[in-house]
């Protein structure tokens, strides 16, 4: 069943910094206001905006509703924690046991992870991550507090991690690298709660949309003095780990989490001496590029001018987007019950990128080994260019373009049949950057076109509607659809109340 998405990411920013800022504009990418700068602006606000009480910041998001007829929520507080001097310290860990409402064998219709946090005083935005059994569930940037305090929350749909949530006892880890000194004294307090909703009665879903049966982390293992992410430091750095896939897997999708920091926090504004503005995360399987992530330029809550992001924060900053790479065409290679190397690199990277992944695997319910083979694979080199027109290396006009195509086709034979899957990515990128006023003003126009198509070759569909009328009331109506071996929709009515009788 082909699925297609063609998001067109567009960023057009005009960044003129506050004229009274103490901010060094010697290089265009030093885009942060100090606490002093922000305090100056806060002090000049009209009285009604002076922060005496806690302010709520928020990211605009689609609200999450459980499917009709669900029961719940069954809510469990997973962690209640303060984060003071936590930078380069081990993540906070706690034992996780599946909530008792999960042990009833109920079918999760919606799982929501709620992160709710507050902070008083002065603090930068900080990056944090939440991992369960080494698999990342949530990554976000914190809100920068105001003098009266700030609070924010994230509700993330984590239904796709249902197998992990139910799997058994494991370790929940949260890393939020915060630093406390005389000026930056804000401590973050956070509560992490899991809300589960269940299907009331056996309601069939298609295997194509149901969560994976197993999630294998592609991250670093505890103990660590950092998050479980890999830290990619430069353009030649490849960070990898070895993973093994069970012999009965029939579908594999790698979900990639990524965030950019320090020299590359504002990668999309970088001039040629900073490796230009193009970045991509490449996914390597035993050294071959099997997929690419062209990240959305998330601006953290304190980025460029923090006042722009108060109280409505920037897209993705409280809940960073993730990216899926379909690895099913490569299952033939992975099904040899040996370990394979899954790695990440970042094209043109400067220090540093935090990258890790979750390998979502769907397993043949019959438990018998599946087999597979790669039919075709084509991943030509990235093409791209940078042009620069600048006299002093700061002010000027910079243009960058990039293009990449990756495609792979492979078959997997399981109890579902012998199914051929194609994964094709077509990516293009254009960035123009006009820098003026000795680097204090930049106009960026960046467009990323990302097309990813997943096509399953051997797919068939059946839709049947039966309507048996009976004068004695024993009528029966059934409306059922299947795709491949999956029953997609099944509606049956035994009593026919309200249906027309023949
Ligand atoms: C976390 O939960 C505790 C206990 O219910 C509550 O006192 C505290 O205010 C909560 N903190 C946040 C940030 O919601
Ligand atoms: C999981 O942890 C709970 C709570 O600590 C404990 O009661 C239970 O015995 C553990 N289960 C297993 C299978 O280890
Ligand atoms: C790139 O980063 C890796 C990992 O930290 C390091 O081993 C390597 O020396 C770095 N290369 C360059 C050119 O800085
Ligand atoms: C990718 O494919 C498109 C057409 O589908 C083509 O225009 C473009 O040049 C290709 N790019 C690369 C780097 O192969
Ligand atoms: C599955 O189909 C592919 C392509 O049609 C074929 O090459 C392969 O031999 C088939 N595998 C099995 C086990 O039937
Ligand atoms: C930004 O770039 C896109 C694609 O190159 C172009 O269509 C658009 O007109 C540009 N917008 C501005 C304001 O320059
Ligand atoms: C069968 O169910 C589908 C999916 O809900 C619906 O679109 C269709 O109208 C139904 N057909 C009949 C005859 O009830």
């Amino acid at each position: 069943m082909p699925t297609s998405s063609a998001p067109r990411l567009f960023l057009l920013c005009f960044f003129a910094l506050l004229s009274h800022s103490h901010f060094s504009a010697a290089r265009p990418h030093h885009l942060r206001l100090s606490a002093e700068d922000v305090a100056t602006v806060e002090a000049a606000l009209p009285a009604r905006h002076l922060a005496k009480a806690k302010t709520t910041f928020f990211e605009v998001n689609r609200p999450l509703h459980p499917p009709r007829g669900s029961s719940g929520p069954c809510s469990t507080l997973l962690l209640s924690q303060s984060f003071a001097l936590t930078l380069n310290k081990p993540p906070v860990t706690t034992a996780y046991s599946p909530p008792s409402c999960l042990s009833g064998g109920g079918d999760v219709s919606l799982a929501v992870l709620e992160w709710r946090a507050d902070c008083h005083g002065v603090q930068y935005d900080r990056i944090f991550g939440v991992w369960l059994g080494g698999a990342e569930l949530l990554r976000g940037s914190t809100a920068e507090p105001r003098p009266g305090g700030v609070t924010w929350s994230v509700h993330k749909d984590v239904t796709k991690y249902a197998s992990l949530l139910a799997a058994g006892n494991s370790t929940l880890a949260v890393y939020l690298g915060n630093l406390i000194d005389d000026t930056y004294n804000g401590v973050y307090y956070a509560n992490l709660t899991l809300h589960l909703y269940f299907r009331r009665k056996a309601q069939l879903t298609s295997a194509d949309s149901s969560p994976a049966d197993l999630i294998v982390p592609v991250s670093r293992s505890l103990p660590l003095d950092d998050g479980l992410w890999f830290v990619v430091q430069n353009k030649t750095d490849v960070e990898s780990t070895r993973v093994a896939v069970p012999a009965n897997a029939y579908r594999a999708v790698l979900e990639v989490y990524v965030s950019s920091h320090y020299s590359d926090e504002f990668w999309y504004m970088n001039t040629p001496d900073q490796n230009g503005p193009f970045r991509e995360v490449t996914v390597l399987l035993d050294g071959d590029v099997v997929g690419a992530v062209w990240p959305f330029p998330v601006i953290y809550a304190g980025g460029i001018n923090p006042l722009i992001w108060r109280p409505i924060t920037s897209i993705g900053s409280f809940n960073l987007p993730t990216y899926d790479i379909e690895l099913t065409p490569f299952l033939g290679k992975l099904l040899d019950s040996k370990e394979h190397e899954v790695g990440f690199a970042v094209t043109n990277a400067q220090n540093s990128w935090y990258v890790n992944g979750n390998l979502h695997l769907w397993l043949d319910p019959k438990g018998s080994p599946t087999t597979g083979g790669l039919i075709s694979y084509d991943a030509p080199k990235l093409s791209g260019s940078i042009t620069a027109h600048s006299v002093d290396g700061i002010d000027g006009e910079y243009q960058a373009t990039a293009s990449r195509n990756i495609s792979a086709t492979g078959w997997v034979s399981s109890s579902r049949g012998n199914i051929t899957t194609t994964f094709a990515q077509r990516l293009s990128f254009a960035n123009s950057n006009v820098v003026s006023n000795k680097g204090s003003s930049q106009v960026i126009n960046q467009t990323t076109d990302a097309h990813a198509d997943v096509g399953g070759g051997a797919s068939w569909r059946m839709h049947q509607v039966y309507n048996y009328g009976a004068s004695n009331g024993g009528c029966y109506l059934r409306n059922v659809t299947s795709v491949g071996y999956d029953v997609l929709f099944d509606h049956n009515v035994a009593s026919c109340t309200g249906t027309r009788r023949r």
Side-chain angles (χ1 to χ4, degrees):
M1 197 172 60
T3 55
S4 170
S5 60
R8 201 171 148 89
L9 310 179
F10 175 71
L11 173 78
L12 176 67
C13 313
F14 174 68
F15 301 130
L17 295 156
L18 303 166
S19 53
H20 59 268
S21 124
H22 299 271
F23 160 110
S24 152
R27 279 166 62 100
H29 78 299
H30 286 173
L31 288 164
R32 281 201 166 262
L33 296 190
S34 69
E36 216 178 342
D37 297 328
V38 175
T40 310
V41 177
E42 287 272 351
L45 288 176
R48 70 180 199 283
H49 291 311
L50 289 176
K52 289 187 193 73
K54 238 193 301 195
T55 313
T56 299
F57 290 179
F58 59 96
E59 182 180 338
V60 178
N61 250 320
R62 188 174 62 90
L64 299 174
H65 298 297
R68 284 177 80 153
S70 295
S71 64
C74 152
S75 301
T76 311
L77 180 67
L78 303 179
L79 184 85
S80 184
Q81 184 69 38
S82 65
F83 298 87
L85 220 177
T86 48
L87 192 73
N88 302 329
K89 296 270 166 54
V92 171
T93 57
T94 181
Y96 172 86
S97 303
S100 53
C101 53
L102 255 179
S103 58
D107 196 6
V108 173
S109 61
L110 175 69
V112 177
L113 187 67
E114 177 190 354
W115 166 275
R116 186 171 288 278
D118 60 28
C119 186
H120 290 259
V122 179
Q123 194 49 265
Y124 277 125
D125 52 350
R126 304 292 185 183
I127 193 80
F128 72 89
V130 177
W131 292 263
L132 181 62
E136 188 160 359
L137 303 183
L138 171 69
R139 190 179 300 187
S141 130
T142 64
E144 290 192 347
R146 302 185 65 196
V150 66
T151 178
W152 83 101
S153 64
V154 174
H155 289 82
K156 179 170 176 180
D157 184 343
V158 292
T159 314
K160 65 181 164 188
Y161 306 114
S163 64
L164 191 66
L165 297 169
N169 291 352
S170 64
T171 300
L172 183 84
V174 180
Y175 178 81
L176 186 163
N178 196 21
L179 207 53
I180 299 286
D181 61 21
D182 293 342
T183 310
Y184 295 92
N185 57 5
V187 173
Y188 287 102
Y189 293 88
N191 289 343
L192 195 62
T193 310
L194 179 65
H195 305 284
L196 297 169
Y197 299 85
F198 297 91
R199 285 190 180 83
R200 259 188 218 285
K201 39 183 177 254
Q203 202 178 56
L204 291 157
T205 51
S206 111
D208 287 329
S209 63
S210 62
D213 301 300
L214 178 69
I215 295 169
V216 176
V218 184
S219 60
R220 294 193 295 168
S221 312
L222 294 168
L224 286 167
D225 287 336
D226 194 355
L228 278 70
W229 41 56
F230 296 105
V231 180
V232 176
Q233 302 192 355
N234 58 53
K235 57 187 179 183
T236 55
D237 192 359
V238 178
E239 296 293 329
S240 66
T241 187
R242 300 184 75 78
V243 298
V245 164
N248 62 334
Y250 68 84
R251 186 178 175 211
V253 174
L254 183 71
E255 178 192 24
V256 181
Y257 278 80
V258 54
S259 55
S260 62
H261 304 280
Y262 303 105
S263 306
D264 259 1
E265 179 175 345
F266 306 102
W267 50 274
Y268 40 86
M269 304 178 88
N270 285 355
T271 46
D273 62 314
Q274 302 157 331
N275 296 354
F278 173 72
R279 296 293 182 274
E280 66 170 345
V281 179
T282 51
V283 174
L284 297 109
L285 178 61
D286 296 327
D288 293 327
V289 174
V290 293
V293 170
W294 288 25
F296 182 82
V298 175
I299 302 169
Y300 306 133
I304 300 166
N305 181 341
L307 299 165
I308 306 175
W309 317 123
R310 299 173 178 202
I312 309 172
T313 193
S314 67
I315 298 168
S317 55
F318 285 167
N319 178 8
L320 269 76
T322 65
Y323 307 85
D324 286 348
I325 302 294
E326 182 81 39
L327 294 182
T328 307
F330 298 96
L331 268 179
K333 182 179 205 171
L334 296 169
L335 286 168
D336 60 0
S337 68
K338 298 199 173 74
E339 288 194 328
H340 291 267
E341 189 170 33
V342 179
F344 302 104
V346 181
T347 303
N348 300 333
Q350 302 187 110
N351 197 22
S352 42
W353 288 74
Y354 298 168
V355 189
N356 61 202
N358 300 326
L359 184 57
H360 294 247
L361 296 167
W362 284 260
L363 306 178
D364 197 332
K366 303 274 189 301
S368 50
T370 52
T371 53
L374 187 63
I375 295 168
S376 68
Y377 163 61
D378 189 29
K381 281 178 98 142
L382 175 81
S383 81
S385 67
I386 298 183
T387 58
H389 303 283
S390 173
V391 176
D392 58 3
I394 298 173
D395 284 1
E397 272 190 59
Y398 306 91
Q399 314 279 345
T401 59
S403 154
R404 189 193 273 283
N405 301 321
I406 299 172
S407 67
T409 300
W411 59 268
V412 176
S413 177
S414 70
S415 71
R416 294 157 48 91
N418 183 1
I419 297 182
T420 298
T421 303
T422 296
F423 178 57
Q425 287 189 290
R426 265 179 305 121
L427 303 152
S428 70
F429 169 95
N431 175 295
S432 91
N433 181 1
V434 179
V435 184
S436 58
N437 295 324
K438 304 239 173 301
S440 65
S441 166
Q442 288 196 71
V443 179
I444 312 274
N445 180 2
Q446 174 170 306
T447 305
T448 301
D449 263 307
H451 298 265
D453 295 304
V454 180
S459 185
W460 60 95
R461 201 179 173 91
M462 175 54 74
H463 180 205
Q464 299 183 3
V465 180
Y466 296 84
N467 196 347
Y468 295 101
S471 53
N472 61 4
C475 78
Y476 173 67
L477 181 143
R478 184 156 184 185
N479 179 354
V480 57
T481 301
S482 66
V483 172
Y485 287 104
D486 297 315
V487 176
L488 207 61
F489 175 86
D490 192 357
H491 180 65
N492 68 70
V493 180
S495 72
C496 293
T497 338
T499 51
R500 188 166 52 88
R501 291 187 184 180
R502 271 182 289 161

